[in-house]
């Protein structure tokens, strides 16, 4: 095989936010918007990376010369290629042409989609035989080392393992996962995009991780066997961390402990077809993300507030890392245009901003096309 075209999707996450790097549960699904890459073997050792949407190309003269580029878009690809070089020998160089219809900075994992597409595509084209879980970790490592975000595993996992019309309950401690058919009946999943791309998002993300680790250190003083917040109950938290001495560490840990619990209960709701109870948990998650974890922003809160006031929206919350991006909403099917219009008008009135929305369909993960 000389050339291959692959596609890897972005993701939604129904519930389980900021739990992946705390060994908790997440409930993501792959969506219709995706990154598509054509990878072609070359006769020499060069690598030519092209971002079709930006009309920009980076030429790397040898596989021995892979380093962080000034072109940010290229780093997601180089980061993955470096992971391969650590494990495998490429027999030739290659060209990659990439295009994506995922909005950037909207919390739909546009970067994980690129990383997953490159990891999946290089593995197929060069028949390296690396399994999908390993490819997922390689894509995550690219984000850590080349984008500087100490992300968890959820985004790359969902992009790689997504299944049409199913959500995935992933246990981020054991990495065991189960597919659940997404049976929304009279409802649809709609994303409302605040249009806010917060510049502090990645540094704040890394700070949240550190705060959780700090919490673990404090809890370990009394409970040395604890490894992550997965092992901690609210009672242990209250015994070990004073709300007054360490208010933010306390709040971050409280949110995560509650969210890990809530995600498992929400998965049960889904199994029992109880969408109403599921939706209530989404609102509770938002409350926690906004007040305890402090990763929301006024625009996200306005959208969730508008959803709460609308009886046709049975669940809504901010989605992904936070500080901007989208809310995820479960909305009754009939009169959907009117409901969207109503929320758009409220958003415009309160923020002066245009509201963009996406109707989600749940699709297959990384694949050859
Ligand atoms: C980002 C990260 C994920 C996850 C979410 C929050 O999308 O990439 O690993 O931590 O934020 O749930």
């Amino acid at each position: 095989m000389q050339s291959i075209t692959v596609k890897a999707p972005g993701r939604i996450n129904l519930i389980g936010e900021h739990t992946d790097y705390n060994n908790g549960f997440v409930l993501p699904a792959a969506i219709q918007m995706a990154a598509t890459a054509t990878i072609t073997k070359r006769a020499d050792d060069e690598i030519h990376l092209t971002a079709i949407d930006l009309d920009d190309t980076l030429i790397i003269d040898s596989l021995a010369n892979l380093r962080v580029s000034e072109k940010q878009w290229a780093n997601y690809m180089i980061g993955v290629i470096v992971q391969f070089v650590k494990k495998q020998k490429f027999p030739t160089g290659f060209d990659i042409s990439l295009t994506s219809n995922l909005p950037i900075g909207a919390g739909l994992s546009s970067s994980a989609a690129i990383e997953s597409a490159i990891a999946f595509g290089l593995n197929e084209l060069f028949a390296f035989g690396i399994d999908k879980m390993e490819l997922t970790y390689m894509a995550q490592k690219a984000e850590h080392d080349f984008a500087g975000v100490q992300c968890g595993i959820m985004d790359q996992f969902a992009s790689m393992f997504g299944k049409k019309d199913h959500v995935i309950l992933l246990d981020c401690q054991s990495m065991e996962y189960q597919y659940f058919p997404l049976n929304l009946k009279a409802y649809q999943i709609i994303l409302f995009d605040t249009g806010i791309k917060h510049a502090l998002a990645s540094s704040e993300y890394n700070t949240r991780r550190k705060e959780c680790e700090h919490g673990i250190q404090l809890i370990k003083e009394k409970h040395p066997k604890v490894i992550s917040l997965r092992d901690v109950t609210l009672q242990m938290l209250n015994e070990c961390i004073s709300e007054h001495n360490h208010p933010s560490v306390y709040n971050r840990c409280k949110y995560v402990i509650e969210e890990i619990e809530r995600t498992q209960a929400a998965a049960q709701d889904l199994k029992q077809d109880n969408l109403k109870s599921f939706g209530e948990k989404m609102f509770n998650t938002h409350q926690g993300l906004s007040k305890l974890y402090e990763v929301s922003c006024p625009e996200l809160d306005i959208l969730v507030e508008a959803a709460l006031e609308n009886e046709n929206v049975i669940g809504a919350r901010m989605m992904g890392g936070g500080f901007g991006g989208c809310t995820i909403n479960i909305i009754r099917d009939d009169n959907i245009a009117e409901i969207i219009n109503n929320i758009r008008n409220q958003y415009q009135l309160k923020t002066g901003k245009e509201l963009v929305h996406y109707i989600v369909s749940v699709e297959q993960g990384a694949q050859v096309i």
Side-chain angles (χ1 to χ4, degrees):
M1 189 168 34
Q2 195 55 31
S3 182
I4 197 170
T5 299
V6 296
K7 151 172 142 174
R11 60 103 189 90
I12 50 168
N13 183 27
L14 287 175
I15 199 158
E17 214 64 270
H18 286 277
T19 46
D20 58 354
Y21 56 84
N22 286 301
N23 279 359
F25 293 86
V26 291
L27 199 61
I31 59 175
Q32 76 272 21
M33 290 174 270
T36 303
T38 296
I39 313 180
T40 309
K41 287 179 187 166
R42 295 180 58 87
D44 56 26
D45 189 32
E46 291 185 1
I47 299 175
H48 293 210
L49 304 177
T50 299
I52 297 172
D53 309 319
L54 304 174
D55 195 17
D56 197 7
T57 295
L58 174 72
I59 296 177
I60 301 167
D61 57 11
S62 148
L63 276 157
N65 276 335
L66 292 163
R67 59 178 70 92
V68 177
S69 165
E70 279 167 11
K71 297 183 194 285
Q72 188 47 42
W73 60 264
N75 285 326
Y76 300 112
M77 303 198 224
I78 301 169
V80 176
I81 300 166
V82 165
Q83 295 307 311
F84 277 94
V85 169
K86 284 186 191 164
K87 294 176 188 284
Q88 304 280 346
K89 187 164 168 33
F90 283 103
T92 65
F94 45 87
D95 296 344
I96 303 181
S97 299
L98 182 98
T99 175
S100 170
N101 58 5
L102 277 154
I104 292 169
L108 304 184
S109 299
S110 57
S111 58
I114 297 174
E115 291 149 0
S116 302
I118 305 306
F120 186 82
L122 286 172
N123 187 50
E124 288 291 318
L125 180 63
F126 289 98
F128 287 139
I130 302 172
D131 69 43
K132 271 211 294 193
M133 196 60 93
E134 189 61 33
L135 292 173
T136 303
Y137 285 119
M138 289 163 71
Q140 179 198 29
K141 190 85 173 56
E143 183 84 25
H144 287 183
D145 294 354
F146 279 74
V149 181
Q150 296 302 310
C151 65
I153 199 68
M154 170 171 72
D155 304 349
Q156 291 79 6
F157 176 86
S159 183
M160 209 62 94
F161 284 83
K163 180 169 170 182
K164 189 168 172 50
D165 296 331
H166 287 71
V167 293
I168 324 169
L169 177 66
L170 172 67
D171 177 341
C172 300
Q173 186 167 50
S174 65
M175 292 306 281
E176 280 166 9
Y177 56 95
Q178 275 177 64
Y179 291 105
F180 286 80
L182 188 62
N183 191 0
L184 286 177
K185 287 182 258 161
Y187 294 89
Q188 286 207 34
I189 297 177
I190 310 284
L191 306 176
F192 290 122
D193 188 347
T194 57
I196 309 285
K197 305 175 204 309
H198 204 288
L200 287 176
S202 50
S203 68
E204 285 293 330
Y205 184 92
N206 294 344
T207 306
R208 292 299 175 282
R209 272 200 88 140
K210 290 221 176 78
E211 287 167 331
C212 293
E213 279 156 25
H214 187 186
I216 295 293
Q217 288 315 318
L218 294 172
I219 294 162
K220 263 179 184 276
E221 288 171 12
K222 268 204 183 142
H223 300 276
K225 287 205 179 120
V226 161
I227 291 171
S228 69
L229 290 175
R230 174 78 173 270
D231 311 323
V232 179
T233 60
L234 280 182
Q235 197 189 339
M236 287 159 79
L237 173 70
N238 288 326
E239 272 166 28
C240 300
I241 303 182
S242 145
E243 216 178 323
H244 299 291
N245 295 346
H246 301 282
S248 17
V249 173
Y250 178 88
N251 285 341
R252 309 304 186 238
C253 293
K254 180 163 192 262
Y255 162 76
V256 171
I257 294 166
E258 287 176 347
E259 180 73 352
I260 292 176
E261 176 82 36
R262 192 159 39 227
T263 304
Q264 294 172 85
Q268 287 306 318
D269 289 341
L270 213 55
K271 260 192 196 155
Q272 289 157 7
D273 242 355
N274 191 346
L275 272 185
K276 197 165 172 291
S277 172
F278 187 94
E280 280 161 14
K281 293 188 175 64
M282 291 172 75
F283 284 120
N284 293 339
T285 293
H286 184 80
Q287 191 68 9
L289 286 166
S290 178
K291 299 289 181 293
L292 297 174
Y293 218 65
E294 295 183 279
V295 290
S296 187
C297 64
E299 290 81 357
L300 287 166
D301 289 344
I302 285 170
L303 284 173
V304 173
E305 199 58 41
L308 250 178
E309 283 164 12
N310 193 319
E311 59 174 23
N312 293 304
V313 187
I314 59 165
R317 61 176 198 84
M318 57 148 280
M319 190 179 71
F323 302 101
C326 291
T327 61
I328 175 168
N329 302 262
I330 303 187
I331 303 188
R332 202 185 295 278
D333 224 350
D334 36 285
N335 287 332
I336 203 143
E338 197 185 310
I339 301 163
I340 292 172
N341 238 335
N342 180 287
I343 293 182
R344 182 190 292 125
N345 290 341
Q346 286 192 53
Y347 189 69
Q348 170 119 49
L349 202 70
K350 291 189 176 147
T351 65
K353 294 187 178 82
E354 267 304 310
L355 183 64
V356 173
H357 73 274
Y358 309 102
I359 299 176
V360 170
S361 72
V362 169
E363 299 296 333
Q364 201 64 26
Q367 59 194 289
V368 177
I369 54 172

